[in-house]
Amino acid sequence: MDTRTGLPVVGMVGGGQLARMTHQAAISLGQSLRVLSETPDDSAALVAADVRIGTHTDLAALREFAKGCDAVTFDHEHVPTGHIEALEAEGVKIFPGSRALVFAQDKGMMRERLADLGAPGPRWARVESAEDIVTFAGGVWPVVAKATRGGYDGRGVWMLDSPEQAAELVATGTPLIVEERVTLRREIAALVARSPFGQVAAYPVVETVQKNGICVEVLAPAPDLDEKLALKAQQLAIDLATELGIVGLLAVELFETDSGLKINELAMRPHNSGHWTIEGARTSQFEQHLRAVLDYPMGETALTAPAVVMANVLGGEPGGISIDERLHHLFAEDPGARVHLYGKQVRPGRKIGHVTVLGDDMTSVRARAARAAQWLQEGR
């Protein structure tokens, strides 16, 4: 508890853009998010008042960070499971807890648990050798290989087209699962939040557009999605949050296929598919996550406009006009575009921010968001 304000203290492990935007949401609740950041230059460390420097792999740093926190949560899934269990044994309130978070940390355990629950997913298997992958493929290539731990934004995912590629990947020693390549119509995401009390709030189902393994657009609500399928996706996410005992945000990434829905990934934190909620929903995913971990009643999740599009801003090639000048031009051209920059050093292909546009027509809103993101990335 913060003795100055009488309000609870939430600590977030990780200093990235998710912590930065969670801090932004914490301000309106009278709080300043406590952040464990590896460096003072990390995205959240540049703006939060209570920053502790340390690494998520250092149990002593985690233990010191948690002192005085009413709840500890995460902006990534990479804290060692054993460290979380040790803190829980010492009485630290951690959300989501180790028993839930492990299913976002380990893709093999996730697939096994989802299968136990009867949740829809692609055909998959654990593999230890190239021969295992060849047997799984059964002559049908490509297959999708995934690192069981540590992958994100396209990292740790490989499309294998042959036994030779399988052998090369296995030789790296990376623990793997393989999945069938799913023929899909598109990718969608269902985002829900759950409190310790058990209250659940669901956001409208969105379409996510991927390029080179990175989400580049989110369309809310998912255009032309059958209402029954949307309700099925939301119910699936609610059921998973309940069955797995998740507290906080759960993002369920889904493939929409001709035969129905298949689960791709789970994330138990604020998620790129929910950034649009800052302007596009009555309660942002970041405030909702804070409400959940503090066991506050959930906020309203309705859209604030008929069509909302979030476009990620990726780092472009160096040179050209400054980002400040790009902002000047963008706001002059489209005063309704809402920009969030993360304070990151620009590298080609790196997420450095996002743009959200609201309106009545999805086609025009999508074009405006894409134009704004391109301008901020390329300066033209």
Side-chain angles (χ1 to χ4, degrees), residues 90-121:
E90 295 166 12
V92 178
K93 292 184 178 180
I94 298 181
F95 303 114
S98 59
R99 292 184 180 180
L101 188 62
V102 70
F103 299 116
Q105 295 176 316
D106 188 302
K107 291 181 174 59
M109 293 185 68
M110 178 196 77
R111 286 294 179 208
E112 289 171 347
R113 185 70 175 117
L114 292 178
D116 290 342
L117 294 172

Side-chain angles (χ1 to χ4, degrees), residues 191 203 273-286 308:
L191 188 70
Y203 287 93
S273 66
H275 290 355
W276 63 273
T277 61
I278 297 175
E279 289 86 19
R282 298 294 179 187
T283 308
S284 79
Q285 67 163 342
F286 301 99
V308 183

Side-chain angles (χ1 to χ4, degrees), residues 1 54 91 95 132 162 175 177 182 192-193 225 231 255 260 262 277 283-284 304 310 316 320 322 355 357 366:
M1 188 71 66
F95 303 114
D132 290 343
S162 66
I177 65 168
V182 175
V192 300
L225 181 63
L231 290 173
F255 297 136
K262 294 182 184 295
T277 61
T283 308
S284 79
T304 58
M310 186 283 298
S322 69
V355 178
V357 177
R366 189 176 184 182

